[in-house]
Amino acid sequence: MKVLLKILLLIYAALTITCKLSGQNLFDDSTILNLELKFEIEQVHTDVGIDPSYHDGEIAYLNEDGAKVSFPAKVKTRGIFRKKPSNCSQPPLMLKFKSGDTNYTIFEGIDKVKLVVPCKEKYKYQNLILREYLVYKLYQIISPYAYKVRLLNLKMIDANSYDSSLSYAFLIEPTALLAKRLGGTVLERKNYHPNACNRKAYNKMAVFQFMIGHTDWSIKALHNIKLIELEPYAPPIPIPFDFDFSGFVNAPYTLPAEHLPINSVKERHFNGYCRPAKEYIDVFYLFIAKRDTIRNTISTFTYLPEKERKILIKYIDEFYDVISSDSKRKSKILSKCRTD
């Protein structure tokens, strides 16, 4: 009996360790992660064609016991706008791993992951990274159908010169892990009409995009949106990502699309489709109920200077002025909805 008990305890301990070391723990932890990424920086940064190659690299971090953990990684550039050297000197990156190399690390179970780095090395671009990371955290307040992100103190080391730079950065939960966590599947279908999406999830997402001043998204084009089916043939859930063109982030390189009736990304324009007024009004009440949580999340995000946090809270308060007024929400949201 004692032998059987010991065996069961060993099995339980093994299962606990396995769960603890699963890749998703990387995103379940909300603390900032000190991460080193070594690769040939110039070689990678200049490989910005349509189909860039993966280049050799190495990841390193300290585990809970303070021991250094390192393993190989493949690195390549990704994206569209920020990948162009004329726009950004530091393009966003994709990291790729062999499964065996990440065993018993916080990256276990992850084969590829997006890394978002500052567009340029100047100080103000550090704060833009923090603002964009914060948008993901705000959306998690509004919807359970949201990408997780992990904030980094990132040290990028050149594999040739060993010169290094420090910056804030963040990792975005891989879509495959997101779908698995939600118990659904990814729907890779363009020209899918927004009216065929889950209505409640869509309405919240569209109003959130208005709140942060973001128009650079499209369900039909699958642009900065992923669709997740929770059940076969069920209306999919639209999940947004990539918010650097929002008024909340207010990056200096952003301009609204030419067809929009706004001159700055800080001007809000509703990009959602028409619904019965009650559907959107229910969403407005949800946002109003979350107002204190949203403001507190911004005000306590001390990685940003206090002055910037106050600017962001003011920008959010302007949104609440709109949805709290019957006339303003009619003129700026309900009457601006899309019917195409």
Side-chain angles (χ1 to χ4, degrees), residues 134-149 173 178 181-182 198-209 211 225-226 228 230 236-241 243 283 286-287 289-290 293-294 320:
L134 189 53
V135 174
Y136 284 90
K137 303 304 288 185
L138 295 181
Y139 193 60
Q140 291 171 15
I141 296 170
I142 295 301
S143 174
Y145 307 119
Y147 279 96
K148 292 184 177 182
V149 283
E173 180 182 28
L178 167 71
R181 173 167 60 85
L182 297 178
N198 181 291
R199 293 178 75 90
K200 288 185 178 180
Y202 175 86
N203 294 349
K204 285 193 287 187
M205 185 275 298
V207 173
F208 179 83
Q209 301 274 27
M211 181 183 82
I225 294 285
K226 285 293 183 182
I228 304 294
L230 298 186
I237 306 289
I239 304 181
F241 62 94
F243 304 105
V283 175
L286 167 69
F287 274 78
K290 300 288 187 180
T293 304
I294 288 172
Y320 277 103

Side-chain angles (χ1 to χ4, degrees), residues 306-317:
E306 183 179 6
K307 182 179 179 181
E308 287 215 24
R309 283 177 274 151
K310 288 182 177 179
I311 291 171
L312 294 178
I313 289 173
K314 181 180 178 182
Y315 187 68
I316 294 300
D317 284 344

Side-chain angles (χ1 to χ4, degrees), residues 145-158:
Y145 307 119
Y147 279 96
K148 292 184 177 182
V149 283
R150 183 72 184 272
L151 188 61
L152 307 176
N153 273 322
L154 179 66
K155 183 177 183 180
M156 287 197 292
I157 305 169
D158 187 83

